[in-house]
Amino acid sequence: MGPVDVRHPALPDLFDPALPNAPLLFGILAGDLPGRAIADDAEHPTMAAVQAPNAIAFTSRTTRQADFDATLSGLRRDATVGLVWPGDSAGSVEPEAPARSIARLGFDAIDPADERFARLRADLPADLTVRPMDPELLARCEWLELVVDAHGSIEAFLARGSGLCLMRGDEIVAEAYAPFIGRGVAEVGVVTPEPHRGHGYASVAIAFLAKVLAGRGLAMYWSCDADNDASIRVAAKLGFGPPRPFGILLYRPLEA
């Protein structure tokens, strides 16, 4: 396994488009998000892996245990790895025991033009306004570091991703993001500062982001930690269907 250009035209078809967090994967493969790729052959790859700067990694389809093991080892030669592992993939290949795992939930993508989002937008309190993110506003946001890690810079996120805030005057009461976009799907997320939780602002913020994404012809995907009850409730309110469990398997770098 060795380095390969993430924009190699053969790579996207090697990966299952139904993988959890697929917008991140395909955003990297499109060259819109930073990341790296390794493959069994730099010119004619048949097995590959992709990794984001935050350590999250994906392996391509295979039924050969030896190929999978070589790919995971290739990632671990010089990096910590957080391998996205679908909950329904047992029976093909089996990853070695990770140092730790994080239980996650993924929700199938939905149409942001659905009428429910228009109804939620109508619930915007009269004392709040919607402000698209700009460099000054994003610099004040709670998820600034996540966005910069995902895109490399504030400017790159504003050029390729989407984000907005609900504001009370100059105070941020909710932040809604679409940081990962790939193959026509945007993964969305929302954060509400602690003093403003419990008022439904998260779902209203996502409803306004949905209008932006619908204008770009994108579907919306949601994922969260399995123990994040607040996020699960917001996903249900937004109309995301039953969750599918998956894991992030954490591996330390291999010793030289």
Side-chain angles (χ1 to χ4, degrees):
M1 285 286 170
V4 63
D5 187 341
V6 293
R7 291 171 293 182
H8 192 296
L11 291 186
D13 288 341
L14 299 180
F15 292 85
D16 182 355
L19 276 170
N21 299 132
L24 172 59
L25 165 64
F26 290 106
I28 294 171
L29 291 175
D32 293 332
L33 294 168
R36 65 167 182 149
I38 61 172
D40 55 352
D41 188 300
E43 293 187 6
H44 304 287
T46 62
M47 181 70 193
V50 169
Q51 186 171 33
N54 64 357
I56 298 300
F58 307 83
T59 56
S60 62
R61 299 181 184 96
T62 184
T63 58
R64 292 171 54 88
Q65 186 70 46
D67 290 347
F68 174 81
D69 291 344
T71 304
L72 181 56
S73 295
L75 285 173
R76 295 179 62 197
R77 285 195 193 106
D78 57 2
T80 297
V81 174
L83 180 65
V84 173
W85 192 247
D88 58 356
S89 56
S92 53
V93 295
E94 186 69 28
E96 65 177 273
R100 185 165 67 90
S101 63
I102 301 171
R104 299 274 294 170
L105 298 174
F107 299 78
D108 288 344
I110 61 175
D111 182 0
D114 191 282
E115 183 61 27
R116 67 169 55 88
F117 296 113
R119 293 194 294 269
L120 285 168
R121 290 192 290 270
D123 290 338
L124 180 71
D127 63 336
L128 299 186
T129 58
V130 180
R131 179 175 164 184
M133 287 182 183
D134 55 30
E136 183 276 329
L137 183 58
L138 185 55
R140 297 166 48 201
C141 286
E142 191 170 328
W143 280 2
L144 170 65
E145 185 176 348
L146 180 151
V147 165
V148 171
D149 286 347
H151 286 265
S153 69
I154 289 176
E155 293 73 21
F157 167 72
L158 294 174
R160 296 189 175 119
S162 290
L164 56 81
C165 291
L166 298 188
M167 310 289 296
R168 179 176 288 115
D170 197 46
E171 183 182 18
I172 298 171
V173 302
E175 309 166 12
Y177 299 85
F180 310 133
I181 299 173
R183 271 199 173 178
V185 181
E187 179 160 0
V188 298
V190 63
V191 58
T192 305
E194 190 168 356
H196 303 295
R197 294 174 186 168
H199 299 286
Y201 297 153
S203 55
V204 173
I206 289 291
F208 278 95
L209 182 62
K211 186 174 182 179
V212 176
L213 299 176
R216 295 177 60 177
L218 299 169
M220 292 199 315
Y221 170 82
W222 189 278
S223 72
C224 63
D225 285 350
D227 61 358
N228 190 337
D229 293 337
S231 185
I232 295 168
R233 286 194 299 270
V234 173
K237 185 174 181 178
L238 293 170
F240 285 92
R244 298 183 181 182
F246 70 99
I248 303 292
L249 310 184
L250 300 175
Y251 295 94
R252 300 184 183 93
L254 293 173
E255 296 181 5

